[in-house]
Amino acid sequence: MATSAKPRVATVWLGGCSGCHMSLLDLDERLIELADRMELVFSPIADVKEYPANVDVALVEGAVSSEEHEHMARLIRTRSRCVVSFGDCATTGNVTALRNRFSVNDLMKRSYVELAPGGPAMPSTVISPLADTARPLHEVIPVDAFLHGCPPTAEEIWFAVDALLQGRIPELPNVYLRYG
Amino acid sequence: MAVITFSINGEPVSGRQDESILEIARQHNIRIPTLCHLDGLSDVGACRLCLVEVEGTAKLFPACSTFPSENMVVRTDTDRLRRYRRTIVELLASEGNHQCAVCVVNNHCELQNLAYQVGLEHVRVQYLFPRKDLDASHRDYIIDRNRCVLCTRCVRVCHEVEGAHVWDIANRGINCEIIADMHQPWGTSDSCTSCGKCVLVCPVGALIEKGATVAEMEKHRAFLPYIMTARTKHEWIARAIEED
Amino acid sequence: MTLEELDERGAEERARQEGFKTRVLTCTAAGCTSCGAQKVVEQFRKSVEDRGLTKEVEVVETGCMGLCGEGPLVQILSDETRYSRVDPEAAKRIVDEHLVGGSMVREHRIDPDMPFYARQVRVVLQNCGRIDAEKIEGAIAVGGYTALAKVLTEMKPEEVVEEVRKSGLRGRGGAGYPTGLKWAIVRKAQGEQKFAVCNADEGDPGAFMDRSVLEGDPHRVLEGMAIAGYATGASQGYIYIRAEYPLAIDRLRTAIKQAERLGLLGNRILESSFSFRVDLRIGAGAFVCGEETALMRSILGRRGRPRPRPPYPSEKGLWGMPTLINNVETYANIAPIILRGSAWFASMGTPKSTGTKVFALAGKIRNTGLIEVPMGVPLRQIIDEIGGGTTEGTTFKAAQTGGPSGGCIPAGHLDLPVDYESLQSVGSIMGSGGMIVMDSTSNMVDVAKFFMEFSVDESCGKCVPCRVGTKQIALLLEKLRAKKATIDDLALLEELCVMVKETSLCGLGQSAPNPVLSTLRFFRQEYTDLLKPKLVFEPSDGVA
Ligand SMILES: Cc1cc2nc3c(=O)[nH]c(=O)nc-3n(C[C@H](O)[C@H](O)[C@H](O)COP(=O)(O)O)c2cc1C
Ligand code: SF4
Ligand code: SF4
Ligand code: SF4
Ligand code: FES
């Protein structure tokens, strides 16, 4: 259980390019303020292996693209009070979903055989099997709020995170509604 | 031509009998969203974004192809209409492969603008992720059916303005697609005059000029020093965020 | 041909028929033909010849006799005996034992008191299954074209319109628009030329009323169209019929040729100053081409896509000219109205839904086939008496009317009178006459899904709500069937249904959600039973 009174925040990197996380880092000096106001309990930039229990806010970047993503998404949902789709890939599938036009088999062949620089080899153990299609997060689990943009701007992130840390679902003004 | 007086959203308006509700609304600065309508082309009433309420009937009418009658009471901004418009844009977004981030018309797209206008925060229905064809056989242009919203503006402009009638619709329902001539590669079309009108009227990135896609971009390494200068001297051109 | 000659022709033909001791009628409409009626006819011909009865017995091919589920059907006219499931073997026995021996073939005999027949009132189907559909004399012998003769000699066009208006006849194509009113509008509309179109597209799954009328009594429809032409001022008629109805097309072609030869269609009909041509237009079988504006585009050789109305076809139709569009059954009602009067017609049915209605009864019911009942009969009478109840060991659950545009009527409403308003009041529609009976084994979500998938396939794709909306509704139903849908999905399903209904361009999209909305209304439990719980935050999940 949480010992501190600060909101427990997780950021997760599913099928995305990490651009949304980069944009999060674009908060620059505001990151210092954030560090005071929250506890980062899980993140690609924090060395935590398992998604913890009782998370208050989860920012989820990327589409749900593999079996592991799907498993993770469910875990995030049952262990987090508020789940936020973080950026266009989580919200629409976006670039990650470009591959939906091709069969998984063709895709894997293209990536790991035809275009492989260091000798072709199909991955069998290291990479989680891909789902038939990459899907936006809310098609897999209920989502409470959506951040837009590829990636979302630091301003939009700040606006949302500020509200979330005060225990509110952010009501984003229309200027932050931006696809692409 | 007789002049008709009626009201839109409680405001008295007037217009000629042969002017659609949409035309008259625009003359009075009342905004009604549209997609299949384009000034100068015939109206087909297909996208249903311009639906309005008329007092005395439960039916909704497309403003682009409905003509007013005396004392008609028209509403364009009810909750119901706003909800339906949002759902229409939502359905369109789910139908194609609209990856704005890598689209050639990103920030110049009518569908994207509509999504902002109606406040489409996320799409509740399933994305269909269709597997549609792209045809780059024409010398100057490309049609990428993955982004087509089937507004048929291209069909109409080519038929009604250019007089070439290259485009038509094949198949039915969700399988509809725009085809050139007898369902052949655009580049082999004998009727196309390469006038480019269809490309100009396409509201989305389905009909585009060659050379604009990411894959076709040429890298100009010589440009790098300018970027360095901009970075060090902070001479960015700020990206304007349009207010709605 | 003159009126007198027409009467003579009729008398001649009746005398010819009476010259036979009996006539053996075999239904060779599509249903019975598909279970071997042609072989039965051949056998009758052969047996009659073998027995040397060709002078005494006439073997006749007719249209639908109604009890389609029991075909091939045969009727012996001399004593009105009906036989079911007749194969060549039985045909031989009927000739040997019944016609020669004088005793009926019991195993194949249909009980003459069967409520299936007793409860019906046949106006539209009066001649269907009783006359030779390929010989105009057969129709003339039973009064065919006398109504046309009557209007041409005794009535002014406006009197005809008035008579039809007074009859209370409403369109049988689905929407139930008052026919007299439509005729009056076309009559008043200005145009160099006017057209009268017969809508024989009949695309609802399970519906075969119009096909049966055209196969069984094509002249009745042609006569109705000619009368409509006279009343409205149209000089050209088109019958828009789907290519999947080859027999009906054949019989219509024959009928038109015969009528033209006798001067009952074409120039100066019955030597009057009225001319009316009828041509066929064959549709390629898209459901949406039954919608009148799409139908007109299809007649013009263009892609069958609806357009917004107004303008209605009666103002701006084919080639921009005033165009009357009516359904097959609507036209088939005209001649009796003219001959027997509007008061007689209005005395049948209910005040707002007059006359009779033909239904194609199908599904989990004992007697499937084509029936005709007065408007306003209780549904129970159709199901239990005419239909003979549901099949062994099951109970009635619901009846679906109006096909993909309609809804279902649950057991609790069995006493509902079958008329336009009552059906609408329970969320269904009269539709064109398909009636599918479901018993306790039917799953209503599957029923809704079936019809929704039909609409997805048949949507023309012009407008967004129908093109994408029906697809999304079908996907939600699929998700539900796979037990992957949550309460949120169910809410979205309902929201989409209402939205598609209210925003679609034409009747297809506007009515496509009806099967879902109607099953949700009466069988909601079957939907909620399939829901899975929504994934939610569980504070203790993952706590070591
Ligand atoms: C999708 C759709 C399909 C239709 N199919 C038929 C049809 O097969 N036959 C028909 O008579 N009417 C059909 N209709 C109704 C026609 O549009 C039209 O209302 C009718 O033919 C008018 O004739 P009535 O007034 O005699 O009923 C259809 C309507 C819609 C919207
Ligand atoms: S380029 Fe001109 S002629 Fe060719 S298809 Fe487009 S509009 Fe038609
Ligand atoms: S290609 Fe463009 S203009 Fe043509 S129908 Fe599609 S979206 Fe409309
Ligand atoms: S409702 Fe359906 S069938 Fe009718 S115009 Fe729209 S897409 Fe076509
Ligand atoms: S703009 Fe009127 S329906 Fe599309």
Side-chain angles (χ1 to χ4, degrees):
Chain A
M1 277 304 281
T3 46
S4 86
K6 287 186 206 170
R8 291 162 55 80
V9 175
T11 77
V12 190
W13 181 13
L14 300 182
C17 68
S18 94
C20 300
H21 273 86
M22 296 297 174
S23 217
L24 180 68
L25 296 181
D26 277 347
L27 286 174
D28 296 341
E29 60 274 15
R30 283 169 293 196
L31 288 170
I32 299 166
E33 185 189 332
L34 273 190
D36 275 344
R37 289 175 59 189
M38 60 176 241
E39 190 187 344
L40 191 65
V41 293
F42 183 85
S43 175
I45 52 170
D47 191 14
V48 182
K49 296 290 178 244
E50 204 200 335
Y51 195 88
N54 230 327
V55 173
D56 291 301
V57 175
L59 298 183
V60 184
E61 172 193 327
V64 179
S65 190
S66 67
E67 287 177 12
E68 193 239 334
H69 290 160
E70 198 163 330
H71 169 79
M72 190 63 190
R74 288 173 198 286
L75 209 60
I76 294 168
R77 181 65 273 183
T78 53
R79 294 184 181 180
S80 327
R81 257 184 203 92
C82 178
V83 177
V84 182
S85 277
F86 183 25
D88 274 0
C89 291
T91 303
T92 74
N94 199 31
V95 176
T96 316
L98 277 170
R99 64 106 164 157
N100 290 354
R101 288 169 38 66
F102 311 99
S103 78
V104 169
N105 213 359
D106 289 352
L107 197 73
M108 296 297 282
K109 249 203 254 151
R110 181 85 180 141
S111 318
Y112 289 93
V113 181
E114 287 167 28
L115 296 176
M122 284 287 249
S124 54
T125 51
V126 189
I127 294 188
S128 165
L130 286 187
D132 282 349
T133 52
R135 325 235 33 122
L137 185 63
H138 67 269
E139 281 191 23
V140 182
I141 57 167
V143 168
D144 305 294
F146 299 84
L147 295 189
H148 302 94
C150 179
T153 59
E155 299 316 311
E156 179 181 3
I157 298 172
W158 179 249
F159 184 97
V161 169
D162 184 51
L164 288 161
L165 292 182
Q166 295 172 40
R168 288 187 284 115
I169 300 285
E171 276 179 42
L172 289 158
N174 202 273
V175 288
Y176 293 132
L177 181 53
R178 281 289 173 278
Y179 291 103
Chain B
M1 189 60 66
V3 170
I4 304 273
T5 43
F6 62 109
S7 81
I8 303 180
N9 302 336
E11 188 188 320
V13 295
S14 62
R16 287 200 323 265
Q17 201 171 19
D18 64 345
E19 287 174 315
S20 68
I21 293 178
L22 178 69
E23 282 172 291
I24 298 169
R26 286 192 175 165
Q27 287 159 15
H28 292 81
N29 289 321
I30 298 165
R31 273 178 69 180
I32 302 174
T34 58
L35 182 61
C36 64
H37 168 86
L38 191 69
D39 287 348
L41 299 182
S42 65
D43 277 306
V44 286
C47 73
R48 317 304 285 169
L49 276 165
C50 69
L51 287 179
V52 296
E53 288 180 11
V54 173
E55 205 172 272
T57 155
K59 243 180 92 174
L60 302 175
F61 294 86
C64 66
S65 40
T66 304
F67 298 87
S69 55
E70 197 64 34
N71 295 328
M72 203 180 220
V73 178
V74 177
R75 296 225 145 263
T76 70
D77 62 348
T78 62
D79 280 350
R80 175 166 76 137
L81 291 173
R82 272 198 287 266
R83 226 174 37 239
Y84 287 166
R85 281 180 197 138
R86 221 191 71 125
T87 311
I88 288 170
V89 179
E90 191 172 17
L91 291 173
L92 281 172
S94 79
E95 184 188 19
N97 292 311
H98 299 284
Q99 280 91 8
C100 301
V102 289
C103 177
V104 282
V105 298
N106 189 8
N107 293 327
H108 308 280
C109 170
E110 290 186 33
L111 182 64
Q112 208 179 23
N113 283 338
L114 281 167
Y116 303 155
Q117 244 182 68
V118 302
L120 184 69
E121 195 228 4
H122 77 287
V123 168
R124 298 163 304 163
V125 293
Q126 262 185 54
Y127 280 93
L128 301 180
F129 296 123
R131 296 182 179 181
K132 293 259 166 85
D133 292 332
L134 179 148
D135 177 355
S137 60
H138 193 283
R139 190 194 60 205
D140 304 327
Y141 313 118
I142 295 173
I143 179 166
D144 183 352
R145 299 186 174 88
N146 290 288
R147 302 194 189 112
C148 173
V149 292
L150 292 165
C151 67
T152 70
R153 283 187 192 178
C154 55
V155 178
R156 284 172 285 150
V157 81
C158 187
H159 173 75
E160 295 168 15
V161 182
E162 179 60 9
H165 200 128
V166 174
W167 299 115
D168 252 307
I169 307 143
N171 305 332
R172 239 186 354 229
I174 198 74
N175 298 316
C176 274
E177 57 182 41
I178 299 293
I179 53 163
D181 281 359
M182 304 304 285
H183 207 165
Q184 65 200 60
W186 189 4
T188 68
S189 157
D190 292 329
S191 54
C192 176
T193 62
S194 302
C195 71
K197 291 188 175 67
C198 53
V199 177
L200 289 174
V201 301
C202 181
V204 292
L207 282 164
I208 48 179
E209 264 180 60
K210 279 198 170 164
T213 64
V214 179
E216 293 169 292
M217 277 180 198
E218 282 175 43
K219 311 270 189 224
H220 295 289
R221 304 265 167 212
F223 201 69
L224 283 175
Y226 297 103
I227 299 178
M228 281 306 290
T229 316
R231 239 189 117 79
T232 42
K233 298 193 176 164
H234 288 270
E235 285 173 359
W236 299 106
I237 302 167
R239 183 178 144 220
I241 295 176
E242 319 156 28
E243 284 295 332
D244 223 14
Chain C
M1 178 177 267
T2 61
L3 180 54
E4 292 73 39
E5 284 165 353
L6 181 68
D7 285 340
E8 269 168 40
R9 267 301 167 102
E12 264 170 41
E13 172 64 14
R14 280 192 297 275
R16 188 193 69 79
Q17 291 177 7
E18 277 153 20
F20 292 102
K21 250 210 208 111
T22 190
R23 304 175 74 223
V24 177
L25 312 183
T26 306
C27 167
T28 54
C32 286
T33 294
S34 71
C35 42
Q38 217 57 52
K39 288 230 154 60
V40 175
V41 176
E42 280 161 31
Q43 182 61 49
F44 273 128
R45 294 228 160 92
K46 185 169 178 299
S47 289
V48 166
E49 217 175 296
D50 290 349
R51 289 277 180 173
L53 295 173
T54 43
K55 291 233 158 55
E56 286 158 53
V57 178
E58 188 187 17
V59 178
V60 184
E61 294 179 39
T62 72
C64 182
M65 295 184 179
L67 199 55
C68 305
E70 300 285 315
L73 298 171
V74 167
Q75 185 166 12
I76 309 298
L77 265 194
S78 54
D79 56 8
E80 297 277 330
T81 312
R82 291 191 177 94
Y83 288 113
S84 63
R85 298 183 188 275
V86 179
D87 51 11
E89 175 72 14
K92 188 167 180 303
R93 284 186 55 200
I94 291 170
V95 175
D96 293 346
E97 296 169 28
H98 187 161
L99 301 187
V100 178
S103 63
M104 291 171 191
V105 181
R106 305 233 166 265
E107 302 92 297
H108 290 278
R109 183 169 171 236
I110 301 175
D111 175 7
D113 302 323
M114 185 176 178
F116 180 82
Y117 291 106
R119 294 285 181 214
Q120 292 194 45
V121 174
R122 291 166 81 96
V123 174
V124 170
L125 300 177
Q126 186 183 13
N127 303 326
C128 220
R130 294 189 70 88
I131 61 169
D132 185 336
E134 297 193 359
K135 292 207 187 84
I136 192 168
E137 289 78 10
I140 293 175
V142 291
Y145 292 99
T146 49
L148 177 60
K150 179 173 169 188
V151 302
L152 291 182
T153 52
E154 297 170 19
M155 294 170 83
K156 290 209 212 62
E158 46 273 38
E159 288 170 351
V160 179
V161 173
E162 182 57 15
E163 194 64 15
V164 173
R165 193 192 61 74
K166 280 195 302 198
S167 75
L169 174 66
R170 294 169 66 173
R172 303 296 196 235
Y177 191 82
T179 306
L181 198 55
K182 206 189 261 186
W183 287 25
I185 295 170
V186 178
R187 171 154 185 80
K188 270 204 222 100
Q190 300 295 317
E192 286 162 45
Q193 200 187 354
K194 294 179 190 176
F195 300 94
V197 174
C198 173
N199 188 343
D201 191 55
E202 198 169 49
D204 305 29
F208 52 91
M209 302 76 52
D210 295 347
R211 189 194 71 207
S212 302
V213 172
L214 292 171
E215 286 173 356
D217 195 3
H219 290 287
R220 174 68 85 80
V221 179
L222 294 175
E223 187 180 4
M225 288 180 73
I227 295 172
Y230 176 73
T232 59
S235 53
Q236 171 71 49
Y238 290 105
I239 301 179
Y240 186 83
I241 182 165
R242 52 177 42 224
E244 288 91 331
Y245 284 180
L247 182 63
I249 293 172
D250 270 1
R251 288 189 172 171
L252 269 172
R253 282 218 172 97
T254 310
I256 293 172
K257 246 186 253 148
Q258 292 173 342
E260 280 175 349
R261 202 175 314 123
L262 296 187
L264 296 168
L265 280 182
N267 284 336
R268 308 200 56 233
I269 293 173
L270 286 162
E271 297 184 12
S272 70
S273 60
F274 173 63
S275 300
F276 188 76
R277 276 186 60 86
V278 176
D279 286 301
L280 296 187
R281 286 292 177 270
I282 314 296
F287 176 55
V288 73
C289 285
E291 195 281 338
E292 53 192 27
T293 60
L295 180 148
M296 292 191 303
R297 284 177 64 100
S298 181
I299 288 183
L300 299 183
R302 300 169 66 189
R303 186 182 158 85
R305 287 194 137 189
R307 61 156 172 80
R309 296 174 309 173
Y312 290 91
S314 41
E315 306 150 8
K316 260 188 150 134
L318 291 171
W319 293 281
M321 298 295 157
T323 300
L324 172 74
I325 302 180
N326 274 133
N327 166 259
V328 171
E329 194 183 328
T330 313
Y331 282 122
N333 271 304
I334 299 300
I337 289 174
I338 298 297
L339 289 178
R340 302 171 74 172
S342 55
W344 159 79
F345 190 84
S347 73
M348 294 181 292
T350 66
K352 277 187 158 176
S353 306
T354 56
T356 62
K357 180 77 194 88
V358 180
F359 286 100
L361 204 53
K364 306 283 180 60
I365 190 148
R366 254 176 248 252
N367 306 327
T368 59
L370 196 70
I371 63 162
E372 184 173 353
V373 290
M375 290 271 187
V377 299
L379 181 63
R380 186 186 299 282
Q381 198 170 345
I382 298 181
I383 306 296
D384 287 351
E385 297 179 22
I386 297 175
T390 49
T391 36
E392 204 64 46
T394 60
T395 51
F396 173 82
K397 184 170 182 180
Q400 219 279 348
T401 62
S405 324
C408 59
I409 308 149
H413 288 281
L414 260 177
D415 290 311
L416 190 82
V418 176
D419 60 57
Y420 291 101
E421 277 74 25
S422 305
L423 287 174
Q424 222 158 32
S425 74
V426 295
S428 188
I429 58 166
M430 175 74 78
S432 54
M435 187 181 281
I436 300 167
V437 177
M438 283 161 285
D439 65 12
S440 41
T441 62
S442 314
N443 177 300
M444 302 316 268
V445 180
D446 284 348
V447 170
K449 188 162 161 279
F450 168 83
F451 283 119
M452 191 48 70
E453 279 163 4
F454 176 86
S455 294
V456 172
D457 283 346
E458 295 296 335
S459 161
C460 83
K462 179 171 180 173
C463 69
V464 181
C466 170
R467 182 179 75 234
V468 195
T470 56
K471 177 72 189 171
Q472 292 292 358
I473 293 172
L475 283 176
L476 282 167
L477 290 170
E478 202 173 300
K479 196 171 174 186
L480 209 72
R481 282 304 282 147
K483 303 203 169 147
K484 287 184 177 161
T486 66
I487 187 93
D488 292 351
D489 293 310
L490 186 61
L492 182 60
L493 174 74
E494 288 193 82
E495 187 192 319
L496 277 182
C497 282
V498 176
M499 181 265 178
V500 170
K501 199 173 156 73
E502 294 202 351
T503 58
S504 289
L505 192 161
C506 86
L508 193 153
Q510 287 161 6
S511 60
N514 286 350
V516 183
L517 288 170
S518 150
T519 45
L520 265 168
R521 173 169 168 189
F522 294 116
F523 303 95
R524 198 178 187 85
Q525 184 78 34
E526 292 190 27
Y527 282 83
T528 51
D529 282 349
L530 294 169
L531 294 181
K532 71 158 198 193
K534 203 163 124 178
L535 223 51
V536 290
F537 171 57
E538 294 164 19
S540 58
D541 183 52
V543 176

